[in-house]
Amino acid sequence: MSDVVERTLSALPALLGPQHPAAGPGRLPATSRLGSLIRSITALTSKHEEEKLIQQEIASLKAMVSAPTTTLRLMKECMVRLIYCEMLGYESSFGYIHAIKLAQQGNLLEKRVGYLAVSLFLHENHELLLLLVNTVVKDLQSTNLVEVCMALTVVSQIFPREMIPAVLPLIEDKLQHSKEIIRRKAVQALYKFYLIAPNQVQHIHDKFRKALCDRDVGVMAASLHIYLEMIKENSSGYKDLTESFVMILKQVVGGKLPIDFNYHSVPAPWLQIQLLRILGLLGKDDPRTSELMYDVLDESLRRAEINHNITYAILFECVQTIYTIHPKSELLEKAAKCIGKFVLSPKINLKYLGLKALTCVIQQDPNLALQHQMTIIECLDHPDPIIKKETLEILYRITNGQNVTVIVQKMLDYLREGKEEYAVVTLAGKVAELAEKYAPDNGWFIQTMNAVFSVGGDALHPDIPNNFLRLLAEGFDDRKEDEQLRTYAVRSYLTLLEEENTFYPQKFLQVMIWVLGEYSSLATDVDPEIILTRLHSLLKKTFVTSDTKAWIMAAVTKIASRTSCSKTIDKLIKEFSSSLDTCMRQHAFELKHLCEDKVLMKNLLPFDASCNDVVVDASLSFLDGFVVEGLSHGAAPYKPHHQRQEEKLSQEKALNFEPYGLSFASSVSSSGITGRQSPTGLSFGSDTSGNSAETGHKETNTLKLEGIRKLWGKEGYLPKKESKAGKPDEPQAASCDNLLAGRVTDPSASQSDQVSSFSEEEKEKQQLASTLFVGLGSNAGVSLMGKMDVATQKFKRKSKINETQNSEEASDIQNSDASTFGPLLDTVPVNKEDCEGNKHTRLRKPSLCSSDTVEDNLAFETPQSLKKPGLNDRLSDSRLSPLSLFADSNIEIFQPSSSALCESANKTSSVPSLPKELEELPHSEVVELCQSDALALYLCKVWKDDSLLLAVFASNKKGSALNAVNLVFEKAEHFQILESPAHQFSVIEAQSVEHCQKYVWMDKICTQGILPGSISYQSEMESCLEFSVTLSLLDFIRPMEMTTEDFGKLWLSLSNDVKQNIKMLPSQDSLSAALSTLQQKLKLHIVDIIGNEGILACQLLPSVPCLLHCRTYSGMLALWFRSPCSALPDGLLYQCQKVMEES
Amino acid sequence: MIKAILIFNNHGKPRLSKFYQRYSEDTQQQIIRETFHLVSKRDENVCNFLEGGLLIGGSDNKLIYRHYATLYFVFCVDSSESELGILDLIQVFVETLDKCFENVCELDLIFHVDKVHNILAEMVMGGMVLETNMNEIVTQIDAQNKLEKSEAGLAGAPARAVSAVKNMNLPEIPRNINIGDISIKVPNLPTFK
């Protein structure tokens, strides 16, 4: 039948209507406009002419598309031409709306072009895209498969996030479509939705599972995209699917698929790659899951034997998976062999991948690098820069104290070849890192850093010069060592500056200048006059920016403070006192005044004090007298900058000082005078930008001096210091044996040195290898890896500031501890009697930790405990008030498994109960967080009106008292603990329970999050237990009472909204039933119900409102959320869907 | 994910550009230029992968390319794609073009930009690989072409014929295989009372 139709179809065009000009593929449409356009473009010679021609073309297109007489067929042709113009980079936004119209109105062929143009022209946030939604909806419902396919394709390319609910049900339906191509594209569209709005597809996860089980392989393969993404985010949630993935892979590898799926006789290679990736993610750090996949990985390795690109792709993926999952030695061996095959391959692509694999595994298995050392050496000189770069990456990872000189040399060689800027920057950063970590001696270190600065140029990450200067300034434990390093630096920079007409990057210049200013006096044999002359000559160079000039002036000032008198300084002052550059002029004046008072200058600029803390009088109390005097003389009181500006705006007539003020302020700050942390600097800056009249009398010597001081004050120069200082540094070895790597003979290298008849070149390579791979791997007799790392850590940073800050913070915390927790403990006495009474009446399964699993967990309770409903209530979401709490005491007795029973029987420790005043509030069951031999930790959530209260009970199980029990909650991304995150119980008596309370808010919205913490205590030895508390969004939702009017007002003022239709179950067919479900389970407040519409309100603690409007129609419940916070509606919608499905 | 697919000729003239991640118009043009700059200066006997330019996202992204006669085919992908896999995907793409256009050449790509995009849409959808089987792609394209061509010619055809065409479904190679009983266990959801 279909044959007949097809034949008819192919005959139809010939019979009906005129022939198309653009008929067969391959033939050029001689008459088409596009053809002539392209022909004329290719005939052109210059970019300018092309531009002119295209502008002409666009103008004519513009006229044509907007002409009412243009037929759709003509429009289609216009669109193709527009696509061409856009591809060349010419704006044609006038056509966008017509593309949408074409997609809407055209026949299949025109529609297709319309959709194509839309997907090429528009982006996700384009406003016109909303006009497309209707068309997409219509086409999704079409009976014509081609139309459905087109709609799905456009959806997966671009679709506005907020319109997803409009098409989601339609696309869900398509998952049941009889044609596999439709199902497959529907899955892809859902994947797109998952990427842009994961919350909105949360409720259809079981449909993804169905897609995974689809009888068609294509659909299953498409669903893997979604799974890969979901597993990447949360692998623990999908461990149960491991077996299925393994099974699928086994069947694919085993050739169970139809021959159609073969590519170069390899069965479905892309599918295999995808599955291997998923397995890698699932098996990571999980021995049990990894166990399941060993077999299939082995088989994959075995089967991939044909010599074709695609088999290597599979092999590479296998190797990566094997190294990612929990290791199995047998497989690792095979994988290592595989890597060898890659590395040794003559095919350059494979070699590259081999190197990449080596880079990944080298830290796990340094021996592998030894095996392939000769190949690595060869790759270092490879003509392909990509290969070279990857090789350097390997070397970077195997660097140690012995081979650092050679490796860094190789890296610098690469850098000097001048590749793309970003590559240079990253590599320069690596060199700096290695140099700092493993430098064998001072000279080498300074030379290397010089190379980094000069090659890296000004694109260098600012941390690199900052760290370097800090290292010099803070020094090491050994004073003599410090001085040597500094002196070496000074001499090296002097030599560099000696050369006339050499260009250095600004950052390098600044480093040199700072070092000269700070430490030039260490080089006692150099006349300061010479240094000053050098600096002076630099000032006149054109390539020196004004920024750098400010550094020079600061350095000159410092040197001047140490010399008696200098001709150069006098000359300099004279020269710049009349400079047109206000900034330089100011520096010159400052220098002049300072030089007049040498004693002050010496005090102001003590030698090598860049790391000393400067005590700043932040309140500026020393100016009080001045201010009082000013006020008594009738001066106006000080107004902050913003206030002055407001006033200025209100009286437009006033003279505007803005341009001068602003430019002055910016030049001041760019020169680095105002560190913005100095109070004087601040007031100075704001004064100048605000009112120049005020600057006049504030420009006193002392003020300016304060400003300058900051230049080499810590904050001024090294703004990023604090952020990096936290980096853990390895302890410095007392003695630094400055062994050059080359001198160390490497046993492994000599082993491989069996054949003596090497050519000269090969010998060189051997030698290089021996220097590169020295101290690597176990072949070297002793494993040097760990030891050398520690021993050669030459430059250890002393982070003085950080230490002091830390200690301050620590004392802060202690202070707050003392103040906040003292009274708290008093007000909440521990109910010891309760605990004691309960001790033997309750048995529970250990390790309950999340509130959501509470219901699942076995709660084994003896009949006695039933008599106390207040203590034994089960967690129930519907419980809102103490009243419903009692009503809901239908306690079920679970029969725990025998093992659990034994276990719990052994642990007849007391389960604590809440103090009386909390017991009356809605609260969860007391669950165990963690326990050890000595201590058990329990948690109870109390849903207070203004916060979530976590009551934590620490129960001492031992016969002796526990001392110094410290409970600390770690900082969690989503939650904020009010007051302090720590609590200390000074002592917990034997067999007793202490408890503390923490109030928590949700900081960042998430449906569920984990609040980790730990408790440490002193029994025989110091022990520490870790635990985590799972908190869900619902823990932080409270009803919000308001009137209908208030609701209306608030509704209009809120901007973020989310709409979604959900199906109502027969059990809750009425609106009121549905609303009461929401009220009970989500703690929403029902504001009003009118007809088939209802409004509800709730708030996220502390006070973020969320409003909900519900409407029922034909078995559907339309939910419409609004909130000032964008993430809250999504989170609540998810919870709504969950409870509506469950009830 | 595939970030972008670019085709340009030896002189850097773009022949096809498709972006699956949003970049502004200007950036798109710069990416094309930058990519051409990076790719064109590579010799013939070096590897087909290189790190992406700064604009497309730096070293997290890879450029995977093949050079055919006058054209460069470049796929910009992130780290979640297999390099060799993409390299063969390019091969599949080119072979498919060759089949659809009968000896494809640069001019075909210029004059049938829309068709090339359609073929590409059957292979890559929203940045993810959809289909890698050449025969399957060609079948889909042929079927659609036939359908469209006939409809386009049906301007004044009797209504019955039109509806016959519209209801005709795409041919489908029987590919339903039994993937075994993947007994997917639904995870134990907590029972809510």
Side-chain angles (χ1 to χ4, degrees):
Chain A
M1 168 63 200
S2 69
D3 254 13
V4 177
V5 175
E6 248 171 71
R7 244 178 287 151
T8 327
L9 282 175
S10 48
L12 270 176
L15 299 170
L16 309 158
Q19 270 282 15
H20 252 290
R27 260 172 284 156
L28 300 185
T31 53
S32 87
R33 299 284 299 262
L34 179 67
S36 57
L37 169 67
I38 291 163
R39 222 152 307 181
S40 37
I41 284 183
T42 39
L44 296 178
T45 46
S46 76
K47 181 86 190 155
H48 180 69
E49 281 176 78
E50 178 194 297
E51 207 162 291
K52 230 166 77 188
L53 188 84
I54 299 268
Q55 293 304 353
Q56 257 173 21
E57 174 74 14
I58 283 181
S60 85
L61 277 171
K62 204 170 186 169
M64 202 186 290
V65 292
S66 47
T69 50
T70 308
T71 62
L72 287 175
R73 219 174 84 198
L74 204 53
M75 190 69 89
K76 190 199 97 192
E77 234 180 87
C78 291
M79 280 305 141
V80 178
R81 272 148 70 195
L82 271 182
I83 291 175
Y84 188 77
C85 294
E86 279 262 321
M87 187 175 68
L88 293 179
Y90 296 91
E91 164 89 20
S92 55
S93 52
F94 61 89
Y96 296 174
I97 184 74
H98 297 281
I100 291 176
K101 252 172 40 194
L102 193 65
Q104 215 158 34
Q105 299 164 350
N107 62 23
L108 271 184
L109 199 53
E110 291 148 9
K111 191 187 262 299
R112 172 178 288 268
V113 174
Y115 269 134
L116 175 65
V118 168
S119 70
L120 287 173
F121 292 163
L122 304 185
H123 57 80
E124 254 150 50
N125 303 321
H126 202 285
E127 49 197 353
L128 284 179
L129 209 53
L130 288 177
L131 298 176
L132 193 74
V133 174
N134 253 333
T135 317
V136 170
V137 169
K138 206 182 82 201
D139 285 337
L140 279 176
Q141 288 164 326
S142 160
T143 52
N144 190 323
L145 291 186
V146 181
E147 280 180 353
V148 179
C149 275
M150 283 193 271
L152 286 172
T153 306
V154 86
V155 162
S156 72
Q157 170 74 19
I158 39 162
F159 202 74
R161 186 176 170 276
E162 60 273 19
M163 294 311 286
I164 290 177
V167 294
L168 190 56
L170 288 170
I171 293 181
E172 278 179 54
D173 283 348
K174 293 283 172 281
L175 290 177
Q176 267 101 48
H177 202 276
S178 58
K179 289 279 176 250
E180 67 96 7
I181 184 85
I182 303 283
R183 291 204 301 274
R184 187 145 44 121
K185 290 193 171 175
V187 172
Q188 292 271 29
L190 288 178
Y191 167 76
K192 174 76 176 178
F193 290 168
Y194 177 80
L195 283 186
I196 58 175
N199 279 332
Q200 306 218 22
V201 291
Q202 254 170 339
H203 62 290
I204 51 172
H205 279 196
D206 57 324
K207 294 202 170 142
F208 296 155
R209 287 192 182 227
K210 247 180 229 154
L212 183 66
C213 304
D214 199 283
R215 63 194 147 81
D216 187 90
V217 183
V219 183
M220 186 267 290
S223 77
L224 291 183
H225 293 314
I226 303 182
Y227 276 103
L228 184 66
E229 205 61 41
M230 293 198 293
I231 291 170
K232 231 186 248 169
E233 264 159 45
N234 169 29
S235 68
S236 59
Y238 301 92
K239 300 273 185 193
D240 58 318
L241 287 174
T242 313
E243 272 180 79
S244 311
F245 290 129
V246 168
M247 177 113 61
I248 297 172
L249 183 56
K250 230 175 226 167
Q251 293 183 62
V252 176
V253 173
K256 298 268 162 58
L257 292 187
I259 204 108
D260 262 352
F261 286 94
N262 285 7
Y263 175 78
H264 290 269
S265 53
V266 180
W270 285 277
L271 183 59
Q272 288 192 43
I273 291 171
Q274 191 86 346
L275 284 164
L276 285 167
R277 292 225 157 175
I278 291 180
L279 290 184
L281 290 173
L282 282 172
K284 195 175 183 191
D285 304 325
D286 184 350
R288 263 219 337 251
T289 314
S290 302
E291 191 79 32
L292 297 170
M293 47 188 90
Y294 289 147
D295 275 351
V296 75
L297 288 175
D298 194 38
E299 190 167 344
S300 292
L301 278 181
R302 214 152 30 79
R303 292 249 182 184
E305 65 218 341
I306 316 155
N307 191 12
H308 186 269
N309 251 346
I310 203 73
T311 46
Y312 284 110
I314 296 172
L315 275 180
F316 182 73
E317 223 52 56
C318 265
V319 169
Q320 281 207 313
T321 306
I322 288 170
Y323 272 99
T324 323
I325 63 173
H326 188 79
K328 186 187 182 193
S329 56
E330 204 180 302
L331 278 178
L332 285 181
E333 221 170 87
K334 286 184 185 170
K337 233 182 246 167
C338 244
I339 293 181
K341 241 194 267 176
F342 275 95
V343 173
L344 296 174
S345 165
K347 283 185 189 162
I348 194 145
N349 284 338
L350 301 185
K351 204 178 226 42
Y352 169 77
L353 288 176
L355 292 173
K356 198 177 147 189
L358 264 185
T359 317
C360 295
V361 305
I362 203 107
Q363 263 146 354
Q364 272 170 287
D365 191 0
N367 271 329
L368 217 51
L370 282 180
Q371 279 171 28
H372 299 296
Q373 45 179 317
M374 285 321 285
T375 320
I376 294 177
I377 300 288
E378 270 162 28
C379 288
L380 267 181
D381 293 323
H382 203 279
D384 188 351
I386 301 294
I387 297 265
K388 240 186 203 173
K389 186 139 182 277
E390 200 60 45
T391 317
L392 288 177
E393 185 66 37
I394 296 182
L395 291 183
Y396 166 69
R397 299 201 186 197
I398 59 165
T399 310
N400 56 34
Q402 297 175 37
N403 58 16
V404 64
T405 42
V406 196
I407 289 179
V408 164
Q409 191 51 47
K410 286 281 164 198
M411 287 180 158
L412 289 176
D413 288 348
Y414 181 84
L415 278 177
R416 290 204 181 94
E417 280 167 32
K419 292 291 171 300
E420 292 77 30
E421 192 178 81
Y422 66 91
V424 167
V425 171
T426 38
L427 198 58
K430 281 176 184 165
V431 174
E433 189 195 323
L434 291 179
E436 200 176 294
K437 226 171 166 178
Y438 301 113
D441 63 64
N442 291 333
W444 183 87
F445 178 60
I446 299 292
Q447 295 292 354
T448 308
M449 289 311 285
N450 287 352
V452 169
F453 288 131
S454 56
V455 174
D458 287 321
L460 218 56
H461 197 279
D463 275 355
I464 296 173
N466 286 349
N467 284 343
F468 174 68
L469 289 185
R470 193 174 73 215
L471 206 116
L472 280 181
E474 286 177 353
F476 326 107
D477 294 334
D478 186 358
R479 248 204 118 64
K480 220 175 113 199
E481 190 85 2
D482 289 353
E483 258 171 39
Q484 275 177 3
L485 180 64
R486 289 167 187 165
T487 320
Y488 192 94
V490 169
R491 284 184 205 284
S492 136
Y493 295 150
L494 275 177
T495 349
L496 283 176
L497 288 180
E498 217 165 275
E499 287 168 44
E500 289 284 324
N501 300 325
T502 21
F503 170 83
Y504 297 108
Q506 300 299 318
K507 277 189 183 146
F508 191 21
L509 273 178
Q510 289 165 6
V511 166
M512 291 198 259
I513 291 158
W514 188 86
V515 172
L516 287 181
E518 196 74 16
Y519 298 116
S520 61
S521 57
L522 286 176
T524 40
D525 54 335
V526 183
D527 183 6
E529 203 61 29
I530 296 176
I531 301 169
L532 286 170
T533 335
R534 295 268 151 72
L535 293 177
H536 182 226
S537 66
L538 265 184
L539 272 176
K540 285 182 285 188
K541 293 268 161 61
T542 43
F543 64 82
V544 176
T545 63
S546 62
D547 216 12
T548 312
K549 279 182 186 161
W551 288 67
I552 296 177
M553 285 308 273
V556 167
T557 316
K558 274 187 270 186
I559 295 171
S561 75
R562 282 169 224 138
T563 52
S564 43
C565 64
S566 147
K567 263 186 276 167
T568 324
I569 291 180
D570 294 340
K571 209 167 88 192
L572 205 143
I573 292 173
K574 215 168 128 197
E575 207 170 301
F576 287 97
S577 293
S578 54
S579 164
L580 282 178
D581 183 344
T582 46
C583 204
M584 289 306 292
R585 199 149 138 193
Q586 191 188 340
H587 283 303
F589 272 110
E590 283 162 5
L591 184 58
K592 189 175 159 202
H593 283 285
L594 275 176
C595 284
E596 283 162 12
D597 189 347
K598 280 282 174 186
V599 182
L600 174 69
M601 196 175 191
K602 275 233 154 60
N603 281 336
L604 201 63
L605 307 163
F607 175 67
D608 190 20
S610 61
C611 291
N612 296 358
D613 285 322
V614 181
V615 183
V616 179
D617 181 4
S619 63
L620 304 186
S621 57
F622 59 91
L623 282 175
D624 284 352
F626 176 78
V627 172
V628 170
E629 197 186 330
L631 287 175
S632 68
H633 281 89
Y638 171 74
K639 287 175 190 161
H641 179 56
H642 59 92
Q643 196 182 343
R644 287 198 303 274
Q645 250 175 357
E646 272 166 29
E647 280 171 20
K648 208 177 335 171
L649 282 176
S650 62
Q651 35 179 287
E652 288 285 17
K653 277 173 278 175
L655 198 57
N656 185 13
F657 291 105
E658 192 67 12
Y660 173 72
L662 276 182
S663 69
F664 188 45
S666 71
S667 70
V668 168
S669 62
S670 76
S671 66
I673 288 184
T674 50
R676 281 291 161 203
Q677 288 175 6
S678 125
T680 47
L682 259 181
S683 69
F684 186 67
S686 60
D687 282 343
T688 48
S689 58
N691 190 334
S692 65
E694 268 189 49
T695 0
H697 69 93
K698 285 228 170 178
E699 239 177 36
T700 59
N701 273 344
T702 43
L703 266 181
K704 281 187 289 180
L705 293 182
E706 282 293 324
I708 286 186
R709 183 68 190 88
K710 291 322 281 180
L711 245 182
W712 50 89
K714 265 182 300 191
E715 289 89 347
Y717 258 144
L718 312 159
K720 297 220 172 159
K721 190 185 255 172
E722 272 84 2
S723 66
K724 273 288 215 172
K727 203 174 151 190
D729 286 321
E730 284 159 86
Q732 187 204 4
S735 69
C736 282
D737 44 347
N738 297 346
L739 274 177
L740 277 172
R743 273 186 242 146
V744 182
T745 48
D746 180 30
S748 71
S750 47
Q751 266 169 29
S752 62
D753 208 341
Q754 295 149 342
V755 193
S756 55
S757 60
F758 280 132
S759 71
E760 206 39 38
E761 195 186 341
E762 271 178 342
K763 260 188 201 150
E764 251 172 53
K765 280 183 182 168
Q766 281 289 352
Q767 200 157 9
L768 184 57
S770 66
T771 49
L772 276 178
F773 296 94
V774 64
L776 195 72
S778 52
N779 284 17
V782 257
S783 168
L784 292 166
M785 281 296 276
K787 231 167 53 187
M788 287 315 291
D789 264 10
V790 180
T792 52
Q793 175 81 38
K794 185 175 170 69
F795 300 117
K796 184 202 149 213
R797 271 185 223 137
K798 282 194 292 184
S799 43
K800 288 184 200 158
I801 326 166
N802 222 34
E803 278 164 29
T804 50
Q805 277 188 347
N806 280 346
S807 65
E808 271 167 38
E809 269 170 38
S811 64
D812 269 1
I813 290 171
Q814 274 168 356
N815 287 343
S816 66
D817 265 351
S819 59
T820 54
F821 289 117
L824 241 180
L825 276 174
D826 288 345
T827 53
V828 191
V830 180
N831 202 336
K832 277 190 189 169
E833 262 183 33
D834 256 11
C835 304
E836 223 103 277
N838 258 351
K839 205 192 272 174
H840 299 288
T841 57
R842 280 184 153 220
L843 296 169
R844 33 185 334 108
K845 200 184 164 210
S847 81
L848 305 184
C849 51
S850 92
S851 72
D852 280 25
T853 54
V854 166
E855 289 102 319
D856 278 351
N857 284 309
L858 303 171
F860 182 68
E861 293 166 10
T862 58
Q864 283 113 302
S865 66
L866 282 173
K867 289 172 199 157
K868 291 184 180 174
L871 291 175
N872 303 316
D873 46 21
R874 302 175 58 252
L875 172 67
S876 147
D877 282 334
S878 61
R879 194 179 54 227
L880 277 172
S881 63
L883 211 106
S884 65
L885 187 157
F886 287 106
D888 194 38
S889 61
N890 56 334
I891 294 161
E892 289 164 69
I893 298 176
F894 292 90
Q895 207 58 51
S897 66
S898 59
S899 66
L901 188 66
C902 295
E903 212 175 347
S904 51
N906 288 338
K907 292 175 182 165
T908 51
S909 62
S910 55
V911 173
S913 62
L914 282 174
K916 286 236 165 60
E917 68 270 22
L918 292 181
E919 209 168 84
E920 286 168 11
L921 298 168
H923 61 89
S924 73
E925 203 177 353
V926 179
V927 295
E928 189 183 288
L929 282 177
C930 60
Q931 70 169 320
S932 67
D933 295 338
L935 186 83
L937 210 59
Y938 301 92
L939 173 85
C940 176
K941 293 184 193 172
V942 181
W943 294 295
K944 293 188 65 143
D945 284 343
D946 54 350
S947 63
L948 173 71
L949 189 153
L950 298 178
V952 183
F953 303 88
S955 153
N956 184 355
K957 292 160 41 181
K958 293 186 42 165
S960 55
L962 288 177
N963 289 324
V965 181
N966 229 334
L967 177 79
V968 184
F969 280 104
E970 276 159 39
K971 208 172 145 52
E973 191 191 351
H974 299 284
F975 307 106
Q976 177 200 350
I977 298 184
L978 310 181
E979 297 153 7
S980 145
H983 183 85
Q984 186 162 26
F985 307 96
S986 53
V987 64
I988 303 181
E989 295 300 333
Q991 298 290 332
S992 75
V993 178
E994 294 281 333
H995 108 286
C996 75
Q997 302 179 348
K998 294 281 159 212
Y999 295 88
V1000 188
W1001 280 351
M1002 187 172 261
D1003 233 13
K1004 239 174 94 188
I1005 291 170
C1006 63
T1007 48
Q1008 204 172 70
I1010 285 175
L1011 182 62
S1014 62
I1015 185 162
S1016 61
Y1017 57 91
Q1018 197 98 40
S1019 53
E1020 284 103 41
M1021 49 192 279
E1022 194 154 326
S1023 317
C1024 183
L1025 282 176
E1026 288 187 1
F1027 61 86
S1028 66
V1029 182
T1030 308
L1031 301 173
S1032 91
L1033 179 63
L1034 286 185
D1035 286 330
F1036 301 92
I1037 296 289
R1038 299 287 178 274
M1040 187 175 178
E1041 299 200 5
M1042 55 166 61
T1043 63
T1044 313
E1045 271 172 34
D1046 289 342
F1047 186 98
K1049 271 183 216 155
L1050 193 55
W1051 181 266
L1052 291 177
S1053 70
L1054 299 180
S1055 52
N1056 295 302
D1057 61 354
V1058 166
K1059 292 186 208 175
Q1060 175 87 47
N1061 297 340
I1062 53 180
K1063 275 199 185 106
M1064 299 212 302
L1065 301 173
S1067 62
Q1068 21 151 288
D1069 50 350
S1070 75
L1071 178 68
S1072 58
L1075 292 192
S1076 65
T1077 315
L1078 293 179
Q1079 182 189 26
Q1080 283 173 11
K1081 302 218 167 161
L1082 300 186
K1083 299 174 198 156
L1084 304 179
H1085 170 69
I1086 301 181
V1087 181
D1088 209 348
I1089 301 180
I1090 309 162
N1092 63 345
E1093 291 177 59
I1095 48 178
L1096 299 93
C1098 68
Q1099 57 179 337
L1100 174 74
L1101 293 175
S1103 59
V1104 184
C1106 185
L1107 306 180
L1108 168 61
H1109 173 271
C1110 304
R1111 195 164 63 85
T1112 51
Y1113 64 93
S1114 59
M1116 296 289 275
L1117 182 66
L1119 299 172
W1120 188 355
F1121 290 91
R1122 272 197 180 183
S1123 168
C1125 165
S1126 61
L1128 187 54
D1130 280 336
L1132 274 176
L1133 174 64
Y1134 172 58
Q1135 300 289 353
C1136 278
Q1137 284 168 342
K1138 225 166 84 179
V1139 300
M1140 294 305 275
E1141 273 168 25
E1142 281 157 12
S1143 59
Chain B
M1 182 189 167
I2 299 172
K3 297 277 171 81
I5 294 171
L6 307 173
I7 305 177
F8 38 71
N9 70 3
N10 290 348
H11 306 291
K13 283 258 176 254
R15 291 306 177 216
L16 177 122
S17 69
K18 175 90 181 165
F19 289 85
Y20 295 97
Q21 191 183 354
R22 193 196 155 188
Y23 296 99
S24 72
E25 294 280 321
D26 277 350
T27 323
Q28 289 187 6
Q29 288 305 314
Q30 282 169 24
I31 287 175
I32 296 174
R33 273 197 295 275
E34 187 187 50
T35 311
F36 171 70
H37 179 71
L38 286 173
V39 168
S40 62
K41 67 178 179 199
R42 292 181 59 79
D43 298 335
E44 281 301 319
N45 55 348
V46 294
C47 73
N48 296 63
F49 322 120
L50 65 157
E51 274 172 18
L54 211 48
L55 290 165
I56 200 138
S59 53
D60 291 340
N61 290 313
K62 284 256 145 60
L63 301 177
I64 296 160
Y65 72 97
R66 269 179 189 272
H67 191 192
Y68 295 91
T70 60
L71 290 175
Y72 284 99
F73 287 71
V74 187
F75 280 44
C76 309
V77 302
D78 67 7
S79 60
S80 70
E81 296 289 340
S82 150
E83 283 98 341
L84 287 175
I86 293 290
L87 200 59
D88 270 53
L89 190 71
I90 300 178
Q91 182 67 29
V92 171
F93 180 39
V94 174
E95 279 178 32
T96 313
L97 287 178
D98 201 47
K99 263 199 178 169
C100 291
F101 288 106
E102 293 152 22
N103 270 334
V104 67
C105 68
E106 191 179 338
L107 282 175
D108 289 321
L109 300 193
I110 304 172
F111 288 109
H112 303 289
V113 169
D114 52 331
K115 286 211 180 72
V116 179
H117 271 290
N118 289 339
I119 294 168
L120 193 58
E122 291 300 320
M123 287 184 68
V124 179
M125 194 168 162
M128 301 312 280
V129 178
L130 177 74
E131 177 63 71
T132 50
N133 183 350
M134 189 165 57
N135 292 332
E136 178 78 3
I137 302 168
V138 173
T139 320
Q140 291 291 348
I141 293 292
D142 278 354
Q144 286 165 17
N145 282 346
K146 230 175 246 168
L147 210 55
E148 280 165 355
K149 235 184 273 168
S150 51
E151 203 196 50
L154 280 174
R160 254 176 69 200
V162 176
S163 71
V165 171
K166 277 208 165 164
N167 289 328
M168 191 196 70
N169 280 334
L170 299 177
E172 196 170 326
I173 303 172
R175 326 201 302 167
N176 301 348
I177 54 123
N178 183 12
I179 203 136
D181 52 342
I182 312 166
S183 51
I184 298 207
K185 282 164 233 138
V186 178
N188 300 323
L189 288 168
T191 46
F192 291 94
K193 296 272 147 50

